[in-house]
Amino acid sequence: MALPILYNFIVPICRLCFPEVQDQLPRLWLGLDTLSDVLYLGDIGVRLHTAFPEDGLLVRDRVHIRRRYLWSRSFWWDVASSAPLELLWRRPEARATRWLRARRLCEAWQRHETRAAHPGGLRVAALLLGAVATLHGLACAYFALSVRLGLGSDAWVCPSSTGVWRRYLHSFYTATLLLATVGDTPTPRRVPELLFATFSFLLGVLAFATITGSIGAVVGATRGAWHRDTAAVRQLLGPGELRRRLQRWRPEPALAVEQSTLRALPRALHEELAAAAHLRALSRVGVFRGCERGVLRRLVLRLRAQGYGPGEPVCRRGHVGRHMFFIRSGLVAVLGDDGATPVAVLGRGRYFGELSLIHIPGNRCGNRRTADIVSVGHSELFLLSKQDLLQVLAEFPGARAALEAEGRRLLQLTGRLDAGAEAAAAAAALRAQGLEEALAQLRVRVAALVAQLEATEGHLRLRVQRLEQRLRQRRDAEARGGQAKGQGPGAAPRAPHPAGAQGHPRS
């Protein structure tokens, strides 16, 4: 739909202001107009069969699709833009209703921009196309005004040259000078000329402001992507506390730039920079004081930056703790039991939530948060998750025992360690360890018995095979011997046994 919409924006106004263009190629314009109208009607048919997302799922039901489109405002705009006014008024200005399909052009441009490999270049191209279209419309309006005032009547209007393309080029050049506010045009004398020049100057100022803003948006694409447009979200939320929190939110672009810069560095250099910036702060944490330096360097690489707005909660009382926090900048307030009165304020370099990362038997609070903590202003914190800590401790088994011992000592100092529960947990751990050892011994004995059974079965199978082989050989030898005696020359007949003989003949 981009081409027919651009055609209806550019060509009809030129045919209206330059009658020679309309009169020279009537069949061409009739064919292009018909093709454009067919595409407009075909677009309505396509939209009657276009699926749409609803609640995250793509709706493919044709009845639902048609009902939604027919009851939407887009359908009435599309119908109005396809109205055949040329049947009643055979003039180029009858195609002015085709401009109502401009929203379809914007939609096509947005889809191309989201799928383009270089969206910045596409925005610049769109900007240039808009500027050329504006100059074209202003040139046509300038020529129409010149025709009304008289071609060549003074120095400001278009001269009465014979060529239509020369008139268009002169009009386009004059429109460019007027829109660029260069001031190198003849001085307007009459009132219509003064009004047109004033309107062109104002339009030029607006155009330059738009171009400057668009180029600034293209150059600062990274910063613009970080500062998200929350207007649609605010419309969905409506009035309330959540909307006010969203309006007060001020993301820090420096944080995103720092993270992208660190990701672009080699791993070794990234590790060195992260250790130089955060290793000292991590080593001040009580549970990490006795850890190896290798463990701390691995943990530094797992830190994740997070920003919080004014009054935004960092953690809630009673929630399961899955992170510990380091304050990089800003202030956070620790609230009292009422959840509103601040009892302490923590600033840059402080930390909290470290005991929630380690499972210590006898901890009265378990892994639950013991207080509400909110951000006083805009603050940036580093987060270390429990999962990352466990992954690092899996590589350093000795550091796990040291962390648990230090955490147990801190709980004893704060009075949050239940000795009875710790003893019960230790006894249960000993019982579990004894059961595991007994199970391991039983597995060893079962494995020995299975191996002995397999060895005995192998020996028996081998002896049976040998006996079968020897019996087979003996039978073969006796069979060969009997055949030799029965078939030899001069063999005497075999005498029968006497009647009173004892025993059986020998086989």
Side-chain angles (χ1 to χ4, degrees):
M1 291 303 298
L3 292 179
I5 294 175
L6 290 176
Y7 167 81
N8 288 310
F9 264 93
I10 296 175
V11 177
I13 188 174
C14 181
R15 291 158 49 189
L16 175 64
C17 298
F18 293 88
E20 296 87 349
V21 177
Q22 173 69 21
D23 298 334
Q24 289 178 1
L25 302 170
R27 295 184 179 180
L28 176 62
W29 304 132
L30 179 60
L32 292 178
D33 292 346
T34 304
L35 179 60
S36 172
D37 294 342
V38 170
L39 291 176
Y40 269 53
L41 295 176
D43 182 59
I44 295 178
V46 169
R47 299 194 70 177
L48 285 171
H49 297 81
T50 303
F52 63 95
E54 186 178 30
D55 296 334
L57 300 176
L58 197 62
V59 178
R60 300 179 182 272
D61 185 26
R62 294 183 178 181
V63 177
H64 196 180
I65 292 172
R66 293 173 183 174
R67 185 185 301 113
R68 179 177 181 271
Y69 176 63
L70 293 176
W71 286 95
S72 64
R73 294 182 179 179
S74 300
F75 172 72
W76 299 108
W77 284 104
D78 295 345
V79 170
S81 64
S82 304
L85 298 182
E86 292 90 342
L87 300 177
L88 303 176
W89 189 21
R90 294 186 177 274
R91 292 283 299 171
E93 52 264 32
R95 302 191 61 84
T97 57
R98 304 297 186 271
W99 293 5
L100 300 177
R101 198 68 70 92
R103 294 192 302 175
R104 195 68 166 158
L105 179 63
C106 298
E107 180 183 355
W109 207 269
Q110 290 176 0
R111 292 192 179 186
H112 281 290
E113 183 178 353
T114 55
R115 300 176 183 178
H118 302 284
L122 192 63
R123 296 190 194 102
V124 173
L127 185 63
L128 293 177
L129 181 61
V132 171
T134 304
L135 289 173
H136 170 76
L138 192 63
C140 294
Y142 167 76
F143 182 79
L145 181 62
S146 299
V147 170
R148 186 175 183 83
L149 297 178
L151 294 176
S153 57
D154 58 11
W156 188 86
V157 299
C158 181
S160 58
S161 56
T162 57
V164 61
W165 295 113
R166 183 170 181 81
R167 293 179 180 178
Y168 175 78
L169 291 177
H170 183 272
S171 301
F172 194 89
Y173 174 75
T174 305
T176 304
L177 295 180
L178 291 173
L179 198 63
T181 64
V182 176
D184 197 15
T185 57
T187 304
R189 302 293 183 183
R190 288 174 280 189
V191 174
E193 297 175 355
L194 292 172
L195 294 177
F196 187 85
T198 304
F199 172 78
S200 301
F201 287 153
L202 294 177
L203 185 62
V205 172
L206 179 61
F208 271 105
T210 304
I211 292 174
T212 304
S214 301
I215 293 178
V218 172
V219 173
T222 303
R223 184 173 183 179
W226 176 256
H227 292 277
R228 298 174 178 86
D229 185 15
T230 57
V233 181
R234 289 197 295 267
Q235 291 178 1
L236 291 176
L237 292 178
E241 178 62 25
L242 191 57
R243 178 170 180 172
R244 288 192 292 270
R245 285 174 53 190
L246 183 63
Q247 292 174 348
R248 291 195 303 265
W249 169 247
R250 179 184 57 86
E252 293 292 340
L255 188 60
V257 173
E258 178 182 347
Q259 292 177 351
S260 61
T261 304
L262 290 177
R263 283 195 298 267
L265 294 176
R267 181 175 179 81
L269 186 57
H270 181 190
E271 184 176 352
E272 292 294 333
L273 289 176
H278 311 300
L279 188 60
R280 183 179 301 177
L282 192 63
S283 62
R284 288 200 302 264
V285 181
V287 294
F288 297 137
R289 287 175 183 171
C291 290
E292 306 174 12
R293 190 175 181 83
V295 178
L296 298 180
R297 294 178 70 91
R298 292 295 183 87
L299 291 177
V300 162
L301 296 177
R302 304 298 181 98
L303 294 178
R304 180 171 57 89
Q306 179 67 47
Y308 293 89
E312 187 173 357
V314 179
C315 58
R316 295 285 192 182
R317 180 194 300 270
H319 288 188
V320 177
R322 296 184 176 88
H323 300 86
M324 75 165 298
F325 303 87
F326 301 87
I327 303 176
R328 179 187 181 184
S329 63
L331 299 174
V332 297
V334 182
L335 304 182
D337 296 336
D338 57 353
T341 305
V343 296
V345 177
L346 306 179
R348 181 177 181 179
R350 302 295 297 274
Y351 57 88
F352 54 92
E354 67 277 9
L355 293 178
S356 63
L357 301 182
I358 309 171
H359 177 66
I360 301 176
N363 189 355
R364 298 181 185 274
C365 301
N367 290 338
R368 303 284 179 175
R369 301 294 187 187
T370 59
D372 293 329
I373 299 180
V374 298
S375 176
V376 177
H378 292 280
S379 58
E380 296 178 11
L381 282 71
F382 283 109
L383 279 67
L384 178 62
S385 66
K386 185 176 183 178
Q387 183 179 1
D388 293 337
L389 178 62
L390 294 179
Q391 291 177 358
V392 173
L393 293 181
E395 303 176 5
F396 299 90
R400 187 184 189 91
L403 282 176
E404 291 179 355
E406 185 65 22
R408 189 177 295 107
R409 187 184 66 83
L410 292 176
L411 288 176
Q412 289 177 353
L413 292 177
T414 56
R416 289 187 291 171
L417 184 63
D418 189 355
E422 183 183 11
L430 290 176
R431 288 196 301 270
Q433 184 178 1
L435 291 175
E436 290 179 356
E437 293 177 355
L439 181 60
Q441 294 176 2
L442 183 60
R443 287 177 178 174
V444 171
R445 293 181 62 185
V446 170
L449 291 175
V450 171
Q452 185 178 0
L453 178 61
E454 292 178 351
T456 304
E457 183 182 1
H459 289 307
L460 290 175
R461 188 181 296 109
L462 183 60
R463 290 183 64 184
V464 170
Q465 291 177 356
R466 288 178 180 177
L467 289 174
E468 289 178 351
Q469 184 178 5
R470 291 169 68 179
L471 181 60
R472 193 181 301 111
Q473 292 175 358
R474 187 172 181 177
R475 288 178 178 176
D476 293 343
E478 288 179 355
R480 286 194 299 269
Q483 291 177 1
K485 288 181 181 182
Q487 297 177 2
R494 190 172 182 178
H497 289 281
Q502 298 293 329
H504 297 281
R506 186 176 181 182
S507 62

